[in-house]
Amino acid sequence: GNSVTQMEGPVTLSEEAFLTINCTYTATGYPSLFWYVQYPGEGLQLLLKATKADDKGSNKGFEATYRKETTSFHLEKGSVQVSDSAVYFCALSVAGGTSYGKLTFGQGTILTVHP
Amino acid sequence: EPEVTQTPSHQVTQMGQEVILRCVPISNHLYFYWYRQILGQKVEFLVSFYNNEISEKSEIFDDQFSVERPDGSNFTLKIRSTKLEDSAMYFCASSDRGLYEQYFGPGTRLTVT
């Protein structure tokens, strides 16, 4: 089956520090990969996506590259801000058969950024 | 910007009672989903719905669960006889293309006592 593994959290950083949140996956088929973010009291928001190998998704200073050879999709940001404090979820979906985009999520990583 | 809305934000119910969680997806979307997250655990897929029928469901989505799109705007999840282990945050999502971006609502926290 499909699964996503994220690095254990929580992650605590100072403002302007470099962020990496690791994500690896296993999938039957060729997945699309996503990072979702959940700010306190809100729903999940799509942060970025990549649909094929070597694609780089980017948004709001965050980046992640689809690495098929290492089955990874690590999230990075060069300089975090206090406003980036949230829970980050890595996810995948695999097309085919009767699948209509079911997302498989990692366990989520809590990020706290201090001033 | 269009958004998915869910009501209520928090529902408390007694074991054995029926609950209906409501969602209003984005208006031009065609694919609808329910997920849940038990406290401290992963977000789990429950069911997807397209063209007025269930397209896929997980093992969690047993006979106690049902979904409906009763009109052109609402999408509901019904749990017929709630159990303690149904306590979770339930998220509704919608998509216009099925395989790519899904837009999530803020969730309904269901507490079964």
Side-chain angles (χ1 to χ4, degrees), chain B residues 3-104:
Chain B
E3 60 181 16
V4 176
T5 59
Q6 291 185 242
T7 53
S9 57
H10 190 191
Q11 173 92 45
V12 181
T13 189
Q14 290 189 326
M15 197 167 49
Q17 296 296 304
E18 175 183 286
V19 294
I20 298 176
L21 309 184
R22 301 181 191 280
C23 170
V24 179
I26 294 173
S27 62
N28 63 336
H29 284 187
L30 302 175
Y31 302 84
F32 312 110
Y33 310 85
W34 283 102
Y35 295 84
R36 78 172 186 189
Q37 184 180 30
I38 295 171
L39 189 64
Q41 298 186 23
K42 293 185 179 186
V43 176
E44 302 172 288
F45 168 78
L46 292 178
V47 65
S48 59
F49 191 86
Y50 170 72
N51 200 25
N52 280 321
E53 61 183 19
I54 290 173
S55 49
E56 188 174 6
K57 60 183 180 180
S58 72
E59 295 168 352
I60 303 166
F61 194 89
D62 61 21
D63 291 345
Q64 292 301 310
F65 291 87
S66 62
V67 290
E68 193 177 32
R69 189 157 162 80
D71 52 41
S73 59
N74 290 283
F75 180 51
T76 61
L77 174 69
K78 182 193 289 187
I79 309 175
R80 288 190 184 82
S81 178
T82 50
K83 307 182 185 70
L84 294 176
E85 54 265 36
D86 294 327
S87 294
M89 181 73 87
Y90 288 80
F91 294 104
C92 172
S94 70
S95 171
D96 62 349
R97 291 186 288 168
L99 294 176
Y100 300 106
E101 293 95 322
Q102 292 182 26
Y103 294 83
F104 282 77

Side-chain angles (χ1 to χ4, degrees), chain A residues 24-107:
Chain A
T24 57
Y25 67 89
T26 58
T28 53
Y30 198 74
S32 295
L33 302 174
F34 307 86
W35 277 100
Y36 279 83
V37 59
Q38 185 178 30
Y39 298 104
E42 299 184 15
L44 299 164
Q45 300 175 24
L46 179 65
L47 181 60
L48 52 84
K49 71 178 191 291
T51 57
K52 61 182 187 295
D54 299 325
D55 265 2
K56 178 186 282 189
S58 61
N59 186 24
K60 300 181 181 179
F62 291 89
E63 294 182 339
T65 301
Y66 188 143
R67 299 286 188 204
K68 189 178 178 186
E69 64 275 15
T70 54
T71 62
S72 65
F73 193 55
H74 304 321
L75 182 69
E76 297 182 336
K77 186 175 186 183
S79 177
V80 293
Q81 305 300 311
V82 172
S83 57
D84 294 326
S85 298
V87 184
Y88 292 82
F89 294 90
C90 186
L92 66 81
S93 69
V94 180
T98 57
S99 178
Y100 284 79
K102 171 184 81 174
L103 288 168
T104 299
F105 285 89
Q107 66 267 41

